[in-house]
Amino acid sequence: MSRIEDALKAANETCALRIGSEVLNEVAVMFKEQFPGKRAVVVADETTWDVAGKKVEEELKKAGVRLQPAFIFTQPDLYAEYSYIDLLVESLKEHDAIPVAVGSGTINDLTKLSSHLTGRRYMCVATAASMDGYTAFGASITAEGAKQTFSCPAPLAVLADTNIIRKAPGVMTASGYADLFAKVTAGADWILADWMGVEKIDETAWSIVQDGLHDALANPEGAAAGDDEAISQLIEGLMLGGFAMQWSKSSRPASGAEHQFSHLWNMEHHLNNGEHISHGFQVSIGMLAVTAFYEQVLRTPLENLDVEACCAAWPTPEELEKTALEMFVGTDFPNIGVQETKAKYVTREELAVQLQQLKEYWPKIRERLLAQLLPYKEVKRRLELVGAPTEPEQIGITRKRLRDTFIRAQFIRRRFTVLDLAVRSGYMKQWLDGLFGKGKIWEITE
């Protein structure tokens, strides 16, 4: 576990992480080490209470830890929405106990922000390898109709019993696998941003996430089957992503264009047959789409880019603002395009510098990207093996909407990704035609 130990040294919020089979028995020891003399309150939903919450409470009680009655969410449609924060905060204000979140993404995020709002830290007991948010700073919560990241510390301690996690529903493991796979395309986006002089790679954060990433993704069959080693590698990789975000105080090490797809669909309140789609399954389609898009990029001789023509076609701030406003007319987030594109806007002079670097160094950039990325067919094969979606229709996204997402997603975040490369180089339409044209991966026939 040397990678975990090294990452913990870089993390500035989480002090302890334990991953292993049957380690749930150590929950009381970990709690007493990190919160000496404190009382505890288990936070769970009805499912995670049965899976591990009851056992956590028993272990804490047996070790002499004082307990508040458990807070158990009973809502059948529970998700990370701000009204549930209000409920938990109201309860936590009645005492000073340390919350012990028992669950995965929803329970963790609700407890993370509620703990922060009531002036205390918390501990997390993971029940599924479903996402990388366990050890991430910030909580992803839907508020006022939009998915937002609220600033708050990661848990002080995390315990992940692989014997419990490997028994989680297969869709949760598949979701986590896809979220971990997204670090591949997120890394590619960071490579582009670094070489074009937009955002330098933080070598510590890069190493935490990327070292060993391809190994952690090598056994999708094992992850789907609940193989202990494969599950351990998966949960470790997800935890490391969170540590990198702690170190950098940014989601850049673990999130790129593929996450922008998911964020946009959340903001558009997308449902599939009336049901919310897991973050990992949205990212699965986003990451696969971005991988295919990168293959279009890598086939393009960008060393021959006409920088002068790109700069001449570059919109003025006023033109871009008009486009951004038109992009989201009729939504409940009409101004986000203006806000985010303003934040990353460059002048024609600055654009010329960026594109000249791209043109000059393209052979080296291309080589680095080829080493980072996996082929589209291989990515799709692994996602199918683990049980994640590989076609947009599987999550209720039409091919036309997927194409539109490439364009719209570029407007909702200021982070530089391959989508920004496409816009700044003038290749967006050509590269999209290479994916959605006749006989292509996602031919649009309607």
Side-chain angles (χ1 to χ4, degrees):
M1 298 289 280
S2 60
R3 290 185 65 215
I4 291 289
E5 292 168 1
D6 290 343
L8 276 170
K9 293 175 185 176
N12 45 31
E13 293 171 354
T14 301
C15 297
L17 170 64
R18 186 79 170 91
I19 300 174
S21 180
E22 306 296 342
V23 297
L24 195 62
N25 297 329
E26 301 172 24
V27 65
V29 173
M30 178 177 274
F31 182 89
K32 292 171 83 170
E33 286 177 348
Q34 300 302 322
F35 304 100
K38 298 290 187 179
R39 70 177 66 217
V41 57
V42 172
V43 179
D45 61 29
E46 291 179 308
T47 299
T48 61
W49 172 255
D50 290 337
V51 168
K54 192 181 302 183
K55 172 69 170 175
V56 168
E57 194 169 82
E58 289 172 358
E59 290 294 327
L60 291 169
K61 185 176 182 179
K62 189 165 59 177
V65 176
R66 293 173 297 145
L67 292 166
Q68 283 289 126
F71 184 97
I72 302 175
F73 287 102
T74 58
Q75 294 82 355
D77 58 348
L78 182 70
Y79 69 107
E81 200 273 331
Y82 208 95
S83 62
Y84 299 116
I85 296 288
D86 291 334
L87 290 175
L88 183 51
V89 165
E90 184 180 355
S91 177
L92 292 179
K93 283 181 176 178
E94 297 177 359
H95 55 76
D96 63 355
I98 298 298
V100 180
V102 180
S104 55
T106 296
I107 291 295
N108 185 54
D109 275 350
L110 293 175
T111 307
K112 187 185 299 186
L113 183 54
S114 298
S115 299
H116 175 63
L117 292 174
T118 52
R120 67 196 86 178
R121 301 297 301 277
Y122 81 107
M123 177 176 173
C124 178
V125 176
T127 59
S130 55
M131 48 88 220
D132 64 3
Y134 287 115
T135 52
F137 84 100
S140 185
I141 306 291
T142 298
E144 299 179 352
K147 197 80 164 180
Q148 303 177 40
T149 299
F150 290 84
S151 181
C152 49
L156 192 65
V158 183
L159 184 144
D161 191 323
T162 55
N163 194 46
I164 291 172
I165 290 171
R166 67 185 181 85
K167 297 173 185 174
V171 292
M172 300 188 80
T173 301
S175 183
Y177 182 89
D179 201 17
L180 184 62
F181 220 140
K183 284 40 175 174
V184 175
T185 46
D189 283 344
W190 207 357
I191 289 168
L192 279 178
D194 184 41
W195 275 92
M196 292 178 68
V198 179
E199 184 177 356
K200 187 175 177 57
I201 286 177
D202 180 314
E203 294 298 341
T204 297
W206 177 272
S207 178
I208 291 172
V209 173
Q210 298 293 334
D211 291 354
L213 175 59
H214 285 270
D215 290 339
L217 295 167
N219 189 5
E221 301 101 321
D227 175 78
D228 195 66
E229 182 178 356
I231 292 295
S232 294
Q233 285 186 308
L234 175 57
I235 194 69
E236 178 181 318
L238 292 168
M239 296 291 180
L240 288 168
F243 288 152
M245 288 186 270
Q246 283 187 40
W247 164 262
S248 61
K249 282 293 186 288
S250 165
S251 59
R252 165 58 94 175
S255 171
E258 73 296 317
H259 275 71
Q260 291 176 10
F261 281 42
S262 176
H263 295 324
L264 177 63
W265 294 332
N266 285 332
M267 291 164 64
E268 294 172 337
H269 312 296
H270 175 65
L271 301 173
N272 187 21
N273 295 322
E275 296 185 359
H276 291 279
I277 304 152
S278 73
H279 169 72
F281 277 13
Q282 290 185 141
V283 167
S284 180
I285 297 303
M287 183 264 298
L288 194 57
V290 170
T291 298
F293 194 70
Y294 260 112
E295 292 194 346
Q296 297 296 309
V297 177
L298 293 169
R299 294 190 188 110
T300 306
L302 291 174
E303 65 273 16
N304 299 327
L305 185 67
D306 188 337
V307 174
E308 188 175 333
C310 292
C311 292
W314 188 239
T316 65
E318 294 75 20
E319 290 169 336
L320 185 59
E321 179 173 340
K322 182 175 183 293
T323 301
L325 284 171
E326 291 172 350
M327 183 70 60
F328 300 110
V329 167
T331 70
D332 52 9
F333 48 95
N335 297 313
I336 193 167
V338 174
Q339 170 189 307
E340 297 303 304
T341 52
K342 271 187 177 179
K344 62 182 174 182
Y345 184 79
V346 293
T347 65
R348 289 179 177 176
E349 292 74 20
E350 292 168 327
L351 178 64
V353 173
Q354 290 180 3
L355 295 182
Q356 192 58 47
Q357 287 189 201
L358 173 70
K359 179 177 180 177
E360 181 178 349
Y361 296 112
W362 178 241
K364 291 183 178 179
I365 299 172
R366 185 177 183 277
E367 183 180 353
R368 180 93 186 263
L369 290 172
L370 283 169
Q372 172 69 16
L373 295 161
L374 278 76
Y376 166 82
K377 288 183 179 179
E378 175 61 14
V379 174
K380 185 176 182 180
R381 183 188 75 85
R382 294 193 194 186
L383 290 172
E384 287 174 340
L385 285 171
V386 83
T390 57
E391 296 295 344
E393 293 86 355
Q394 290 175 275
I395 63 167
I397 298 291
T398 66
R399 295 180 178 193
K400 182 181 184 304
R401 187 172 179 183
L402 181 62
R403 180 182 175 121
D404 290 345
T405 297
F406 278 92
I407 298 167
R408 290 164 68 83
Q410 186 267 339
F411 282 82
I412 68 161
R413 290 291 185 272
R414 63 194 63 187
R415 176 164 301 155
F416 185 94
T417 72
V418 68
L419 304 180
D420 295 285
L421 169 67
V423 170
R424 296 183 190 193
S425 65
Y427 273 103
M428 178 68 87
K429 184 180 184 303
Q430 179 177 318
W431 290 338
L432 288 179
D433 286 346
L435 300 181
F436 296 92
K438 185 173 178 58
K440 304 301 182 181
I441 294 174
W442 295 295
E443 181 178 345
I444 299 174
T445 55
E446 65 269 17

